[in-house]
Amino acid sequence: MNNRLYGNLIFELSHQGRKGYSFPKNSYEFSTDALPPAVRRSEDAELPECDELTVVRHYTNLSGNNFGVNNGFYPLGSCTMKYNPVINEEIANMQEFVALHPLQPADTCQGALEVYYGLQGMLSELTGMSEFTLNPFAGAHGELTGLMVIRAYHRSRGDDKRTKVIIPDSAHGTNPASAAVCGLEVIEVKSLQDGTVDVEDLKTKLDDTVAAMMMTNPNTLGLYEKHAHEIAALVHECGGMMYYDGANFNPMLGVARPGDMGFDVMHINLHKTFSTPHGGGGPGDGPIGVRKGLEEFLPTPRVVLKEDGSLTVRTSLPEYLKGENSADDTSLGSVGAFFGNFGVILRAFSYILTIGKENMKMVGPLATLNANYIKESLKDVYELPIDGVCKHEFVFNGLKDKSTGITTMDVAKRLLDYGYHAPTIYFPLLFHESLMIEPTENESKETIDGFIDVMRKIAQEAKDNPDIVKSAPHNTPIGRVDDVLAAKHPVVTFKQMKNEE
């Protein structure tokens, strides 16, 4: 018996005996007679046949091979794989939110609009921006949208010659990519020996063709850009705007706001700084905020407050469809479907309310404390190319003793044997053996001490028994693979694996 008939039989039997109930015979059957012959199958589909218990066991065992923040320490630099409280998942999965449809009338989903509107206000307060939109679906999507806002602003003033974006050589790779996709020319500015932007080099690149400068602060090396105010003043003086890459916003929480540093437009990786599990490329959300005077260029839909205290949605529509809730013509229009990734928005809203205003100011200092504690505890055995106080992350340049021949890749692979996810390796590109570590603010001293002990143990193994490090990992389901071959010819199916055996 096929699953459809079996399920309907159970349903019918479950209703027997109910007084007055009459189940219409065969009402559940589906007829294919109406389908054109060309689209009907000539033979049965080759679908796998196995019992439920086998399927459950397969995926349960498979999930045991995954690694996440629920399993252990995840010091992945520049990605902020942070704590994801269970209460956030419960709220994001509430039926009252899950069952909503984005096209239903605003007066039937005021609670959801209140979450959206409330989070816009919270982010504005935390960053010093005037207004936010939560529509972009990722950090890179936010970057692109923010640059589109800047381009729209310049064009609205008839300043079409501004086609260049200045980007530091230490920037995230999405920065130049976003600028290029936006149709803007990328101009690179050098970094000093201390890892911060070379202001003198910047001055040689400023003219009336500059649309904006993109900066991450703290930068990718985990260093605070101490000349941020001076840089913003120089860019503004030549008529350009400042864009803040918010991927590293964690250590700034409760300490400093991009708006106060002189930035005009920014994005936040909502899924990083404000808690959503986001491994494997998603889910994400990249809200952008703008300073006062740029609100009119934000994309739609936008949740706005009406005079009667209720919330409504403003949309950007063609002229013949516009009504009282339409946005101004200066808006970018839509940059994604509906209201962004609402599940991430719910988690962020819950996270901020759970921590509260009183404790939010501790996020940045704790992230900074944890990173500096690890850095100082390991810099005698791992090379620290730029010494000094870091913020939420820092970068080693491999082992201090280069004579062992042990690479950053070897260290990362060996960490897996000890139950730790590897940090980010070979990024940023400023150093040959980059090892970027970010502990995040929520990890305990006991967890961090355990990580430090293992890192020191690997450094000792590199001297005493380098072969065991070079051949790691030894305790994982799959041993060391040929990375180039795996990237070019990935094995993605069980059938393919069996054939290659």
Side-chain angles (χ1 to χ4, degrees):
M1 182 181 295
N2 66 44
N3 289 339
R4 178 185 292 276
L5 292 178
Y6 181 75
N8 285 323
L9 176 61
I10 296 297
F11 179 80
E12 188 171 359
L13 290 174
S14 69
H15 286 76
Q16 288 183 0
R18 291 190 182 184
K19 187 176 181 180
Y21 182 82
S22 176
F23 190 85
K25 185 174 178 59
N26 295 330
S27 65
Y28 52 82
E29 293 186 356
F30 173 72
S31 174
T32 60
D33 294 341
L35 294 175
V39 301
R40 299 183 200 173
R41 296 188 63 92
S42 59
E43 56 187 26
D44 291 340
E46 293 185 12
L47 300 177
E49 294 290 340
C50 58
D51 59 275
E52 178 185 352
L53 198 54
T54 299
V55 174
V56 171
R57 286 170 178 167
H58 170 73
Y59 284 105
T60 300
N61 292 330
L62 197 62
S63 68
N65 294 330
N66 264 351
F67 189 94
V69 291
N70 290 342
N71 302 93
F73 189 37
Y74 210 123
L76 196 63
S78 201
C79 281
T80 319
M81 296 295 288
K82 66 185 295 165
Y83 174 50
N84 310 123
V86 176
I87 188 175
N88 297 357
E89 301 306 306
E90 294 175 354
I91 289 175
N93 285 286
M94 287 176 63
Q95 190 64 23
E96 291 83 352
F97 291 124
V98 173
L100 292 175
H101 193 284
L103 290 179
Q104 69 186 76
D107 59 358
T108 67
C109 53
Q110 286 289 298
L113 295 183
E114 184 66 40
V115 170
Y116 197 99
Y117 185 78
L119 185 58
Q120 289 178 170
M122 291 176 181
L123 296 181
S124 296
E125 177 63 27
L126 287 167
T127 62
M129 293 290 157
S130 174
E131 191 168 335
F132 262 83
T133 176
L134 312 182
N135 294 8
F137 284 90
H141 192 195
E143 289 177 11
L144 176 61
T145 305
L147 289 173
M148 290 169 65
V149 167
I150 291 173
R151 187 179 62 177
Y153 166 77
H154 288 311
R155 288 181 174 178
S156 72
R157 301 169 66 247
D159 204 351
D160 296 333
K161 64 180 176 297
R162 295 189 179 273
T163 59
K164 297 178 181 178
V165 176
I166 298 175
I167 300 175
D169 57 9
S170 63
H172 292 121
T174 53
N175 286 187
S178 297
V181 171
C182 198
L184 299 166
E185 180 184 355
V186 175
I187 306 297
E188 185 178 273
V189 62
K190 298 176 182 177
S191 295
L192 297 169
Q193 285 294 107
D194 66 0
T196 60
V197 170
D198 186 337
V199 177
E200 295 305 314
D201 185 48
L202 171 64
K203 290 177 181 178
T204 66
K205 296 175 168 68
L206 294 174
D207 56 34
D208 61 2
T209 65
V210 172
M213 178 172 181
M214 301 180 78
M215 280 182 65
T216 309
N217 195 20
N219 63 29
T220 310
L221 295 170
L223 304 172
Y224 184 81
E225 292 284 357
K226 55 184 179 293
H227 300 298
H229 283 94
E230 180 184 357
I231 290 171
L234 289 169
V235 174
H236 289 153
E237 186 178 347
C238 80
M241 304 188 78
M242 290 294 294
Y243 183 90
Y244 183 90
D245 178 346
N248 292 350
F249 188 55
N250 265 48
M252 296 292 98
L253 279 174
V255 179
R257 307 190 306 175
D260 299 332
M261 300 175 199
F263 288 92
D264 306 288
V265 182
M266 69 171 293
H267 84 268
I268 290 179
N269 290 59
L270 204 63
H271 48 288
K272 293 182 181 181
T273 304
F274 297 108
S275 179
T276 286
H278 64 280
D285 204 72
I288 66 165
V290 296
R291 64 162 172 78
K292 194 167 185 61
L294 297 175
E295 301 94 338
E296 61 183 288
F297 300 101
L298 286 173
T300 56
R302 290 165 62 189
V303 178
V304 295
L305 187 66
K306 297 172 67 176
E307 290 185 2
D308 63 1
S310 64
L311 296 165
T312 190
V313 179
R314 298 180 69 191
T315 58
S316 181
L317 300 170
E319 193 64 39
Y320 63 90
L321 289 177
K322 285 187 176 180
E324 62 174 350
N325 292 331
S326 297
D328 298 329
D329 292 338
T330 51
S331 168
L332 295 177
S334 177
V335 296
F338 304 112
F339 298 90
N341 194 331
F342 194 61
V344 177
I345 291 168
L346 284 168
R347 291 179 178 92
F349 187 77
S350 169
Y351 181 75
I352 294 174
L353 290 183
T354 302
I355 291 180
K357 186 175 181 179
E358 310 79 18
N359 298 313
M360 186 66 71
K361 61 187 178 182
M362 291 303 297
V363 171
L366 286 174
T368 300
L369 175 64
N370 287 348
N372 279 278
Y373 178 60
I374 295 177
K375 173 177 65 68
E376 293 299 314
S377 299
L378 292 175
K379 69 179 185 180
D380 63 319
V381 289
Y382 289 87
E383 181 185 345
L384 184 64
I386 300 176
D387 205 348
V389 176
C390 67
K391 302 307 289 183
H392 65 306
E393 64 187 0
F394 60 93
V395 180
F396 285 133
N397 187 23
L399 285 165
K400 202 166 190 177
D401 185 356
K402 306 297 184 186
S403 67
T404 64
I406 298 299
T407 66
T408 284
M409 177 67 79
D410 297 330
V411 173
K413 296 290 187 182
R414 185 58 173 154
L415 272 170
L416 304 182
D417 285 331
Y418 290 103
Y420 292 94
H421 193 283
T424 300
I425 61 174
Y426 298 115
F427 181 83
L429 304 177
L430 297 176
F431 312 115
H432 184 62
E433 292 290 328
S434 289
L435 183 71
M436 183 159 58
I437 298 173
E438 178 182 359
T440 75
E441 67 277 0
N442 53 280
E443 296 291 354
S444 68
K445 185 175 182 297
E446 290 76 14
T447 296
I448 292 174
D449 282 339
F451 174 73
I452 291 170
D453 289 343
V454 166
M455 288 289 284
R456 297 190 70 86
K457 184 174 182 178
I458 294 173
Q460 190 61 45
E461 287 177 340
K463 296 179 179 179
D464 301 338
N465 190 7
D467 287 342
I468 197 172
V469 183
K470 282 184 173 294
S471 57
H474 305 280
N475 305 328
T476 53
I478 298 175
R480 184 173 295 210
V481 299
D482 183 323
D483 294 305
V484 175
L485 182 64
K488 289 184 176 180
H489 304 287
V491 176
V492 294
T493 67
F494 175 77
K495 186 175 182 180
Q496 184 180 358
M497 291 173 65
K498 295 295 288 183
N499 289 341
E500 290 192 1
E501 288 175 0

